Amino acid sequence: MMAEETTPETQENATDTPVAETAESRETVLEAEVNDLKDKMLRTLAEMENLRRRTEREVADARQYAVANFARDMLTVSDNLRRAIDAVPQELRESGDAATKALVEGVEVTERGLEQTLSKFGVRKIESKGVKFDPAFHQAMFEVETTEAAPGTVVQEVQVGYVIGERVLRPSFVGVAKAPKAP
């Protein structure tokens, strides 16, 4: 029997096929790896962007609502200033002596200054009278039988409510209209 002779041509052909297959499979593996890494990078970038946005939102909320407890306490001061003004009868304000007029005017100026300061920090009054009762902003204290307003409408405000941003600091204490009983 004769042994097969290997010539340079047959040797080259024998090694080309595995090298070509190995190069192609290596290229496929590398492409898959690159695609996987691109996907991971895009997900990481998206996650970082979401984290940045969430952090910005939390910082903005912290700034806006950081004064909420202080503002809530200051509402008591505002209420007391309003009570002091309301305690002075209108005729005494108009015909009273200069000291009484100056005192009332000073308390009114102080109340306006406090309201401006609260407003600067995003604290604002809840408009209640004449609007539909909303349990998110109002606390019903009593019902009023009336034909002058639709049932469920706020007809009287006992205590002013306030919000800071979109959060309720204190609901308005209100009287709500209801239909009169049939005779």
Side-chain angles (χ1 to χ4, degrees), residues 54-69:
R54 188 172 48 247
T55 302
E56 284 178 357
R57 191 173 41 248
E58 287 172 357
V59 167
D61 282 353
R63 276 192 202 122
Q64 184 174 18
Y65 300 119
V67 297
N69 288 333

Side-chain angles (χ1 to χ4, degrees), residues 3-166:
E4 283 189 32
E5 250 181 62
T6 55
T7 62
E9 289 175 5
T10 57
Q11 191 177 15
E12 187 177 302
N13 288 339
T15 57
D16 264 352
T17 305
V19 170
E21 286 176 8
T22 305
E24 283 180 20
S25 68
R26 182 172 168 91
E27 184 178 322
T28 305
V29 168
L30 289 174
E31 281 181 23
E33 193 175 326
V34 165
N35 288 336
D36 185 47
L37 290 173
K38 279 183 183 178
D39 183 56
K40 286 180 181 178
M41 181 188 70
L42 290 174
R43 288 179 189 272
T44 301
L45 287 174
E47 194 174 309
M48 292 303 294
E49 182 63 21
N50 289 339
L51 178 63
R52 184 188 62 77
R53 286 185 188 144
R54 188 172 48 247
T55 302
E56 284 178 357
R57 191 173 41 248
E58 287 172 357
V59 167
D61 282 353
R63 276 192 202 122
Q64 184 174 18
Y65 300 119
V67 297
N69 288 333
F70 178 73
R72 194 173 291 114
D73 291 342
M74 293 309 296
L75 296 180
T76 304
V77 176
S78 177
D79 293 339
N80 289 336
L81 288 171
R82 174 56 28 206
R83 285 185 198 105
I85 293 167
D86 291 343
V88 179
Q90 187 63 33
E91 57 273 356
L92 184 59
R93 286 185 214 176
E94 294 168 0
S95 64
D97 61 9
T100 303
K101 288 181 181 179
L103 177 64
V104 170
E105 185 178 321
V107 174
E108 288 173 338
V109 168
T110 304
E111 180 190 38
R112 281 193 304 271
L114 178 59
E115 286 180 9
Q116 288 173 350
T117 301
L118 290 172
S119 168
K120 184 170 75 171
F121 288 98
V123 177
R124 61 186 195 285
K125 287 183 179 180
I126 297 173
E127 295 300 321
S128 296
K129 199 163 183 186
V131 301
K132 182 116 176 97
F133 176 79
D134 183 350
F137 297 103
H138 306 122
Q139 184 171 340
M141 302 303 290
F142 52 89
E143 290 183 316
V144 177
E145 290 185 10
T146 182
T147 56
E148 295 176 13
T153 303
V154 174
V155 292
Q156 188 176 353
E157 188 173 50
V158 177
Q159 186 176 37
V160 177
Y162 290 87
V163 294
I164 183 170
E166 300 302 314

